Amino acid sequence: MMNALILFGGVSSEHDVSVVSAKSVIENVPTDRYNVIMVGISKDGRWFLYDGDVANLPEDKWLEDTAHLTKAVVSPDRNDHGLLVFENDGVKTVRIDVAFPVLHGKNGEDGTIQGFLQVAGIPYVGCDMLASACCMDKVMTNTLADAAGIPQAKWLGFSSYDYGKNSEEYINRAADYLGFPIFVKPANAGSSVGVSKADSKEALAAAIEKAFREDSKLVLEEGIDGVEVECAVMGNDEPVASVCGEVVPCNDFYDYEAKYVNPASELHIPARLSDEKHEEVRAAARNAYKALGCSGLTRVDFFVRKSDGLVMLNEPNTIPGFTSISMYPKMFAASGVPYAELIDKLFNLALEKWA
């Protein structure tokens, strides 16, 4: 039986989503093949081995269960074979065969933990360091998509430093080039944290200030009148795409509340597309996955523009949500791969990639 490390929490604005995703992942790991080792990272960056009830993960109740917390860290020394656990005034080592960093957003989806696990020599689920970093940074993603000829919305990217030197110039340039509405996004954030829709120059200025509270670099994108569709992709050299899902947000767009708080958002699996368009989106998802250097898993999001049916890349998510209502596992379940089998496949892809 292999020891499977599940990393959760993290120093990120998406910490609360991560612990919920991890609970679902842990509950679906095939226990006849994997011994689950839970390591949580608090919001202030403390690492703990947790051997208590997985039901305590949401709302960080696991941190209150002190009887089942032990200070632990992943060792970067490959000879330590994984986890260092500090107990009884000493240190013991725990072998880690494969890891799943169920860490959304900064410090978990941006290549940082991926690079650390690569240094430690631990096979892990998901994209490697480079692909994770490029897919997390929306400026890099959009630049690579343009270079690969992948259709997407018109966009602009800039830093807080440059914006601060002449904010009016950037607002006028965005209004002239993109037109309204404009979506304002932190370059490095997920779950729609810090994202706003602006319909005027005044609203745009406020949205930019809001987004800069999350990151020092932004992306502004033209609003697309289209159907929001998502596709789950899995694999290394020969990726497979799930059936597509369609999102009908309860709010003006699919923001954090619409994703995780308000149950009024509608999810349709399969997406309400023609068979031909459905296959076009799946092909586009595989193409984007390979163009961006993805491996293991990624959820690739698109717009299908209503005016002409053009399939346009929205964004990739290299550690997508894995909660009980998340689209990635639901789309593969609809494709004939139940949750537990999906986790097993992801572990095997990790072992294959890093063998």
Side-chain angles (χ1 to χ4, degrees):
M1 184 174 293
M2 288 189 287
N3 284 345
L5 171 66
I6 308 296
L7 282 168
F8 61 88
V11 183
S12 165
S13 59
E14 297 175 76
H15 177 104
D16 294 341
V17 180
S18 169
V19 292
V20 178
S21 286
K23 176 178 179 291
S24 292
V25 169
I26 293 164
E27 289 173 339
N28 285 280
V29 172
T31 54
D32 60 330
R33 290 192 288 283
Y34 304 97
N35 174 45
V36 173
I37 297 171
M38 298 183 286
V39 171
I41 306 170
S42 68
K43 290 180 179 180
D44 60 357
R46 293 171 296 143
W47 291 49
F48 296 100
L49 173 67
Y50 178 62
D51 60 2
D53 190 344
V54 69
N56 288 329
L57 266 60
E59 302 177 1
D60 274 351
K61 292 178 181 177
W62 64 281
L63 283 169
E64 302 169 10
D65 187 13
T66 55
H68 293 95
L69 292 178
T70 309
K71 184 69 178 175
V73 294
V74 172
S75 172
D77 188 332
R78 296 187 177 206
N79 293 314
D80 287 333
H81 305 297
L83 198 66
L84 302 181
V85 181
F86 302 90
E87 61 181 12
N88 301 323
D89 297 322
V91 181
K92 76 172 183 179
T93 60
V94 177
R95 187 189 79 256
I96 301 299
D97 297 300
V98 64
F100 192 162
V102 190
L103 300 165
H104 306 308
K106 292 181 181 179
N107 304 308
E109 196 172 354
D110 57 3
T112 50
I113 195 70
Q114 287 77 16
F116 179 65
L117 291 170
Q118 285 171 224
V119 169
I122 298 174
Y124 61 88
V125 170
C127 295
D128 63 20
M129 179 186 68
L130 178 61
S132 297
C134 289
C135 289
M136 180 70 181
D137 188 307
K138 293 178 175 61
V139 172
M140 290 302 302
T141 299
N142 291 0
T143 300
L144 290 171
D146 280 346
I150 297 172
Q152 60 182 339
K154 290 189 295 183
W155 66 280
L156 290 172
F158 52 83
S159 68
S160 59
Y161 175 79
D162 290 333
Y163 179 76
K165 290 195 295 185
N166 195 336
S167 59
E168 186 176 353
E169 177 187 343
Y170 279 93
I171 289 174
N172 289 334
R173 184 193 305 176
D176 292 342
Y177 179 58
L178 303 176
F180 290 104
I182 295 172
F183 282 90
V184 181
K185 304 177 179 180
N188 291 275
S191 294
S192 297
V193 174
V195 176
S196 300
K197 179 182 179 181
D199 293 300
S200 66
K201 289 184 179 181
E202 293 75 17
L204 179 58
I208 288 171
E209 293 302 323
K210 175 183 176 181
F212 274 139
R213 290 196 288 270
E214 300 295 333
D215 194 14
S216 62
K217 185 166 60 173
L218 304 186
V219 166
L220 276 58
E221 296 176 350
E222 67 170 327
I224 300 297
D225 183 15
V227 178
E228 294 188 45
V229 295
E230 302 179 350
C231 187
V233 185
M234 174 173 55
N236 292 332
D237 297 318
E238 297 184 5
V240 296
S242 71
V243 300
C244 300
E246 177 186 350
V247 175
V248 183
C250 60
N251 294 341
D252 200 22
F253 64 97
Y254 203 35
D255 60 7
Y256 187 94
E257 180 186 7
K259 289 179 179 178
Y260 301 114
V261 179
N262 193 330
S265 293
E266 296 179 21
L267 306 176
H268 298 275
I269 303 175
R272 296 172 298 181
L273 302 171
S274 68
D275 291 344
E276 294 77 13
K277 189 61 64 176
H278 193 275
E279 291 307 311
E280 184 181 344
V281 172
R282 295 179 71 220
R286 291 191 296 268
N287 178 49
Y289 188 89
K290 299 193 76 169
L292 296 170
C294 298
S295 57
L297 80 156
T298 295
R299 195 192 74 231
V300 191
D301 300 348
F302 296 93
F303 296 112
V304 179
R305 193 162 62 187
K306 291 180 180 179
S307 62
D308 57 3
L310 180 66
V311 176
M312 308 174 72
L313 178 67
N314 180 10
E315 62 179 12
N317 292 270
T318 56
I319 302 289
F322 268 84
T323 71
S324 60
I325 63 170
S326 293
M327 290 289 274
Y328 190 94
K330 289 171 72 74
M331 286 188 287
F332 264 117
S335 304
V337 184
Y339 205 140
E341 183 180 339
L342 174 64
I343 299 300
D344 186 44
K345 286 180 178 292
L346 291 174
F347 281 148
N348 284 323
L349 286 167
L351 293 165
E352 171 191 294
K353 179 176 177 65
W354 299 108

